[in-house]
C-alpha cells in the first residue's frame, strides 16, 4: 500500500506539518472544512479526498505531492535533471564518471522508493559496464533493471533485455545472446508491439552474434531492418542541452510540470544518441558486405565510420570488433603493415577474459599476415592462440575455418599427422553458413 492510500500515514503527516507551522485545527480547516474533520483526518479515521488534500496542502504551504507521498515537491524532478546529466556524461564517452553519477542517483531513488528512476539508473550503470568491459557487473545491473520493470510493457523492458544479451555476447556466450534477442523480437513482432526504438535496439544488437556464428544472411537482414527503423535527428546533443537549460530555469521558477516535460525530451534525445552509437554496428555490417563483394574502398569507408562512432564513446569491446574487420580490409588492400599495427593495438586493449572473440579474430588475421610474409612460425603461434580463445566461445564457423587454416599450414611444413588432427577438430565444429541452431529467423517488423 502506498502512502497516498494510507490514511494513518497521511493524517500523521498533516498533524506534524500543522504543529510545525503553529496552526490550530480550526485555522487549518477554514473556510472549507471543520476542525472536527481535521481531527478525524489526523487520527487516520477518514480517507481524505484529493480536494481536501489540495486545500490542506495550500494551507500548510506544501505541494500536493509532498503531502500525499512525503517526498519533497522537487525531489523527482531534481533526480530526473541529474539523470539527464549522467546520460550526457555517458553519451560523451565518460563512462566511469557517468557510473559514479548513476550510483549516487540509484541510492537516492532506492531511499525514496522511486522505481522508474531506479530502473533508469540501473540501465545506465549496465551500459557503462559494457563500455568499460565489466561484463559481469553490467549483466547484474541489467537483471536488476528487468526486475524493477517487471510490470511494465515489453517495449519498456527491451533496453534491459538487450543489455543482458549483449553482456552474454561479449563474454563469448553467442547462442544464449541470440536466443534472448530473437525471442524478444518474436514476442514484439508477433504480438503487434511494433515499437521502432525497441526493434532498432534489438536488430542492432543481434548483428554481432549472428556474424560470429556464421549467420551472415541473418546479420545482413538485421542491419537493413535497423537502418530502416533508425530515427533521424539533426543534432540531438545540442537540442538535449537546450532542454536541460530550460528545465533548470523552470525549476527555479517553480514550474515543475513544465520542467519535467523538458527533461523528458532531453532524456529521449540522449537515448537517441546511444541508439546512433548502436548504428555503428550497421555501418560495420555494410562494410563487411562491401568487403565480401570486393568493394574494398567502400568497405574501408564504412568501417572507419563505425570505428569513429565507437571510439568517440570509448567502447573498447565494440571498437575492437570493427578494428579487426578494418584491418582485414587494409591487408587485402596491400597495407599489411598498417593492418598489423591496428591488430596489435586491439590485443593491447583486450584480455582473454574480456573480449576473447575479438582477441581470437586479431590473432587469426595476424597469422594470415605472417603466412603471407612466409613467417610460418609466427603464423602457427597466432593460429594456436586464436584456437584456444575460440574453443570455449562456441563460434563454430570461425573454429572450423581456423582449423582448416592451421591444418593447411602444418601440412605445408611437413607435419601431416598434426595437420590431420587439426582437420578432424575442424570437422567437429562445422556448421552450415547462414544458420544458427535456434530454428527459424524471428518474425519481420512492418518496416
Amino acid at each position: 500500500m502506498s502512502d497516498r492510500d494510507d490514511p494513518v500515514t497521511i493524517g500523521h503527516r498533516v498533524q506534524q506539518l500543522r504543529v510545525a507551522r503553529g496552526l490550530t485545527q480550526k485555522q487549518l480547516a477554514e473556510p472549507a472544512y471543520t476542525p472536527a474533520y481535521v481531527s478525524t483526518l489526523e487520527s487516520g479515521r477518514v480517507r481524505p479526498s484529493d480536494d481536501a488534500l489540495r486545500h490542506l496542502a495550500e494551507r500548510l504551504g506544501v505541494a500536493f505531492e509532498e503531502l500525499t507521498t512525503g517526498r519533497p515537491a522537487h525531489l523527482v524532478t531534481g533526480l530526473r535533471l541529474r539523470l539527464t546529466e549522467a546520460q550526457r556524461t555517458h553519451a560523451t564517452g565518460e563512462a566511469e564518471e557517468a557510473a559514479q553519477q548513476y550510483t549516487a542517483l540509484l541510492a537516492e531513488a532506492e531511499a525514496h522508493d522511486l522505481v522508474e528512476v531506479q530502473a533508469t539508473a540501473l540501465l545506465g550503470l549496465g551500459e557503462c559496464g559494457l563500455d568499460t568491459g565489466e561484463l559481469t557487473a553490467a549483466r547484474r545491473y541489467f537483471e536488476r533493471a528487468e526486475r524493477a520493470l517487471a510490470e511494465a510493457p515489453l517495449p519498456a523492458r527491451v533496453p534491459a533485455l538487450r543489455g543482458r544479451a549483449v553482456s552474454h555476447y561479449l563474454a563469448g556466450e553467442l547462442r544464449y545472446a541470440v536466443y534472448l534477442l530473437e525471442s524478444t523480437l518474436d514476442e514484439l513482432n508477433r504480438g503487434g508491439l511494433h515499437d521502432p526504438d525497441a526493434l532498432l535496439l534489438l536488430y542492432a544488437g543481434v548483428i554481432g552474434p549472428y556474424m560470429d556464428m556464421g549467420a551472415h544472411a541473418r546479420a545482413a537482414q538485421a542491419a537493413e531492418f535497423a537502418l530502416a527503423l533508425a530515427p533521424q535527428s539533426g543534432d540531438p546533443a545540442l537540442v538535449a542541452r537546450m532542454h536541460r537549460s530550460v528545465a533548470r530555469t523552470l525549476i527555479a521558477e517553480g514550474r515543475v510540470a513544465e520542467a519535467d516535460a523538458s527533461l523528458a525530451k532531453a532524456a529521449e534525445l540522449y537515448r537517441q544518441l546511444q541508439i546512433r552509437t548502436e548504428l555503428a554496428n550497421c555501418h560495420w555490417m555494410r562494410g563487411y558486405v562491401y568487403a565480401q563483394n570486393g568493394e574494398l574502398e567502400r568497405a574501408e569507408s564504412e568501417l572507419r565510420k563505425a570505428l569513429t562512432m565507437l571510439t568517440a564513446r570509448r567502447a573498447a569491446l565494440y571498437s575492437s570488433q570493427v578494428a579487426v574487420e578494418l584491418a582485414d580490409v587494409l591487408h587485402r588492400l596491400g597495407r599489411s603493415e598498417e593492418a598489423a599495427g591496428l591488430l596489435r593495438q586491439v590485443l593491447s586493449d583486450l584480455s582473454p577474459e574480456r573480449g576473447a572473440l575479438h582477441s581470437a579474430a586479431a590473432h587469426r588475421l595476424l597469422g594470415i599476415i605472417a603466412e603471407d610474409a612466409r613467417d610460418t612460425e609466427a603464423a602457427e603461434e597466432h593460429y594456436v592462440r586464436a584456437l584456444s580463445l575460440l574453443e570455449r566461445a562456441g563460434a563454430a564457423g570461425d573454429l572450423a575455418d581456423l582449423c582448416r587454416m592451421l591444418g593447411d599450414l602444418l601440412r605445408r611444413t611437413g607435419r601431416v599427422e598434426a595437420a590431420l588432427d587439426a582437420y578432424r577438430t575442424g570437422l567437429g565444429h562445422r556448421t552450415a553458413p547462414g544458420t544458427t541452431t535456434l530454428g527459424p529467423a524471428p518474425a519481420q517488423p512492418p518496416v
Side-chain angles (χ1 to χ4, degrees), residues 73-113:
H74 292 184
L75 173 68
V76 175
T77 303
L79 289 176
R80 286 176 183 157
L81 178 61
R82 288 167 55 200
L83 274 174
T84 65
E85 294 284 357
Q87 289 169 322
R88 180 200 62 79
T89 303
H90 188 206
T92 56
E94 301 293 336
E96 293 182 358
E97 183 182 344
Q100 293 176 356
Q101 294 173 306
Y102 283 128
T103 299
L105 283 162
L106 178 61
E108 289 190 50
E110 289 176 336
H112 293 283
D113 196 28

Side-chain angles (χ1 to χ4, degrees), residues 15-272:
Q15 184 181 45
Q16 282 186 316
L17 290 168
R18 177 180 63 77
V19 172
R21 285 155 177 72
L23 298 174
T24 64
Q25 290 180 336
K26 180 179 180 182
Q27 289 171 323
L28 181 60
E30 293 178 340
Y33 299 93
T34 65
Y37 176 75
V38 172
S39 176
T40 304
L41 186 152
E42 289 183 347
S43 66
R45 287 179 288 149
V46 65
R47 185 182 300 278
S49 66
D50 283 355
D51 287 342
L53 288 171
R54 287 192 178 90
H55 166 82
L56 295 173
E58 183 179 353
R59 298 287 289 171
L60 292 167
V62 298
F64 175 80
E65 180 186 1
E66 184 173 353
L67 186 62
T68 56
T69 67
R71 302 176 191 129
H74 292 184
L75 173 68
V76 175
T77 303
L79 289 176
R80 286 176 183 157
L81 178 61
R82 288 167 55 200
L83 274 174
T84 65
E85 294 284 357
Q87 289 169 322
R88 180 200 62 79
T89 303
H90 188 206
T92 56
E94 301 293 336
E96 293 182 358
E97 183 182 344
Q100 293 176 356
Q101 294 173 306
Y102 283 128
T103 299
L105 283 162
L106 178 61
E108 289 190 50
E110 289 176 336
H112 293 283
D113 196 28
L114 296 169
V115 175
E116 184 180 339
V117 178
Q118 287 179 48
T120 305
L122 288 166
L123 283 171
L125 284 166
E127 293 293 341
C128 290
L130 291 182
D131 282 357
T132 58
E134 299 169 272
L135 302 180
T136 301
R139 186 181 311 152
R140 289 172 181 159
Y141 285 128
F142 288 127
E143 289 169 349
R144 287 174 62 186
E146 282 187 75
R147 290 195 293 271
L149 297 168
E151 302 302 319
L154 179 58
R157 303 198 306 273
V158 161
L161 284 161
R162 168 259 173 204
R164 184 157 60 94
V166 171
S167 70
H168 283 290
Y169 162 55
L170 293 176
E173 300 163 20
L174 306 182
R175 287 185 175 82
Y176 187 60
V178 171
Y179 164 74
L180 285 175
L181 294 164
E182 285 193 342
S183 58
T184 308
L185 279 166
D186 257 338
E187 191 173 349
L188 282 169
N189 288 324
R190 296 190 189 283
L193 301 171
H194 301 308
D195 183 288
D197 290 342
L199 291 169
L200 174 58
L201 281 176
L202 294 169
Y203 281 118
V206 81
I207 292 170
Y210 275 157
M211 291 297 298
D212 287 339
M213 292 182 73
H216 301 153
R218 289 198 188 185
Q221 185 181 53
E224 292 308 316
F225 286 155
L227 289 167
L229 289 160
Q232 301 296 316
S233 62
D235 186 349
L238 182 63
V239 179
R241 194 179 311 126
M242 177 272 292
H243 281 300
R244 283 173 37 241
S245 299
V246 168
R248 286 197 186 93
T249 302
L250 293 171
I251 289 171
E253 295 175 356
R255 296 156 64 185
V256 176
E258 293 170 78
D260 274 346
S262 277
L263 289 172
K265 292 174 184 175
E268 172 63 17
L269 288 162
Y270 283 125
R271 194 176 63 77
Q272 286 182 21

